[in-house]
Amino acid sequence: MNKIDEANEFIKQNKAKVNPKYRLKYHLMGEYGWINDPNGFIQYKGNYHLFYQHYPYDAVWGPMHWGHAISKDLVKWFYLPLALAPEEDYDRDGCFSGSAIEKNGKLYLFYTGHIYTKKEKNDDYKQVQNMAISADGIAFEKYEKNPIIDVAQIPDKASKKDFRDPRIFKIGDTYYLLIGSNDEHGIGQVLMYKSIDLIKWEFVNILLKGNENTGINWECPDIIRFEEKDILLVSAQYMKAKGDDFKNTHSSIYFVGRLDIDKGKFEYENYYSIDYGFDFYAPQTTIDKNGRIVMVAWMDMWETDLVTNRLGHNWAGAMTLPREVIKIGEEIYFKPISEIVKYRKNEYSLQDIELNGEVKLETNGICYEIDAEFEPQDAYEFGVKVFKGKYEETVLSYNCRDRLFTFNRDRSGIGPKGERKTLVNLNEGRLRLRVFVDVSSVEVFINEGEEVMTGRIYPDSESINISIFSVGECRVLYLKKWDIDVD
Ligand code: FRU
């Protein structure tokens, strides 16, 4: 049996052993074992395809395979057989992250082959870029002349080891690959290559190099081109915290600027966090047939307590809700994809409430959306508490004086604790929140997606209540809540 069939068979035999307690209902996870980064995100022949970094045999990171799921609407996903398994000389220790493109009706995957060069030392590794092709979007064949970019094609002043996560895109008749890297001082950077046939690749330039604050290595580069601005996304390892920002071990950030494709240079004006919560990494975008830009990220973080693994639940890792990326004026917004509203059930609604103190809602749940708008009058602080139980609560609050929105998971259950804060301005005196709750995740879209905060939490099964609260007078213009039901 080859390694893909072996892995598929293992999943089939074992998936009933997954403990469902913290499984999400409307977010993509692996069927069994571990997942991390989204890969190869593309709409192809009528379906959205989302691949993912996957170790199917255990709920920890291991030799990477590519898992594969498809969806018509980005909410309801169906599993396909795994797409890639590590079994060639050039990828034997892992098929690492990468991306997809369609050419003449075929689906092409670009990924990094990871190889340990000495038996014992995890530090001695080499990474090369490979291609795999499919005519039906289900079965993939690795290109017989892989690697398509070998270590010899890494320029001077770039790490000979960290060379991964190829992001393919096309401008005119030319294909480009962005690859994550770091320089001789351990500063994250992105390399750019070009090709006219997807096979022969030529180094163009170091597209962008960070500084001592922006991480020691950049992973998973991605680019979005708007009319007058471009944004470059990178996942920056060990980025330094700055005030309330970049507090996670690793940060996914975007640079706003301009891509000069001929020179292979990205000039930026500024950079920002993509998500201000706890668990968001390695985002990848795609442009669908309607021109919509959709982004998905891994909804977890390296080097954190893996609760579902620790508990022996036989799975770990989930994807965020897909988000639409929109540029409005000079700002970039991240909005929940519109298809999610199809799955709303059991509407609960409040109108025009004067709030002062805490009110428990006459509804509860663990899998729902809340949409609410607040107008703090003389309130000092107000917000929403979800997963509220006797001893637990997850608190989403806004402090009017400091203009800080906080996601606090100190009392959220048995997972990692802490809080994250981000500066938010009221919008004509109001704050709108769309909160997506799904068993062990909370995603908060603030003011139409100006800011987003995402976190995983592991509450007790009794912690199902919801409340709204205010310290001082606050008007709740409306609050709606729907269960999200994808069955
Ligand atoms: C990012 C990352 C990538 C790599 C993959 C390995 O989370 O470290 O750089 O390709 O995960 O699973």
Side-chain angles (χ1 to χ4, degrees), residues 88-91 110-115 126-132 142-153 163 177 198-201:
E88 304 295 334
D89 287 347
Y90 54 79
D91 66 11
F110 292 84
Y111 72 97
T112 298
H114 180 76
I115 311 147
K126 144 176 154 178
Q127 302 185 325
V128 296
Q129 314 317 320
N130 303 311
M131 181 167 85
K142 292 176 185 170
Y143 176 55
E144 73 266 15
K145 295 201 184 116
N146 276 341
I148 50 156
I149 307 182
D150 210 339
V151 171
Q153 283 161 274
F163 179 55
L177 277 180
L198 295 178
I199 289 166
K200 270 192 65 196
W201 290 90

Side-chain angles (χ1 to χ4, degrees), residues 11-30:
I11 293 169
K12 202 167 126 202
Q13 297 299 333
N14 287 279
K15 66 182 180 196
K17 296 183 198 149
V18 164
N19 184 319
K21 178 163 184 197
Y22 290 121
R23 295 282 282 180
L24 298 93
K25 308 261 188 232
Y26 61 95
H27 289 77
L28 181 66
M29 298 155 290

Side-chain angles (χ1 to χ4, degrees), residues 36-44 47-53 66-70 74 77 83-84 95-102 107-112 132 137 140 165-168 220-222 282-287 294 296 319:
N36 54 287
D37 313 356
N39 293 156
F41 191 24
I42 192 168
Q43 193 181 25
Y44 171 72
N47 285 307
Y48 290 99
H49 288 247
L50 187 57
F51 303 82
Y52 45 89
Q53 289 286 282
W66 276 37
H68 189 189
I70 52 169
L74 297 161
W77 293 95
L84 300 173
C95 297
F96 276 17
S97 283
S99 54
I101 198 166
E102 181 177 346
L107 187 56
Y108 287 73
L109 305 181
F110 292 84
Y111 72 97
T112 298
F140 290 84
D165 310 337
R167 173 60 166 119
I168 180 94
C220 304
D222 195 357
Q284 187 169 94
T285 64
T286 192
I287 304 179
V294 189
V296 184
M319 294 298 160

Side-chain angles (χ1 to χ4, degrees), residues 3 5 17 23 30 37 47 72 90 108 121 132 142 196 210 217 223 230 241 277 280 325 334 359 364 395 435:
K3 289 230 171 162
D5 294 343
K17 296 183 198 149
R23 295 282 282 180
D37 313 356
N47 285 307
K72 291 261 182 246
Y90 54 79
Y108 287 73
K121 272 200 181 161
K142 292 176 185 170
I196 47 160
N217 180 45
I223 192 142
D230 303 301
F280 182 97
V325 186
F334 303 99
V359 177
N364 59 32
V395 187
V435 184

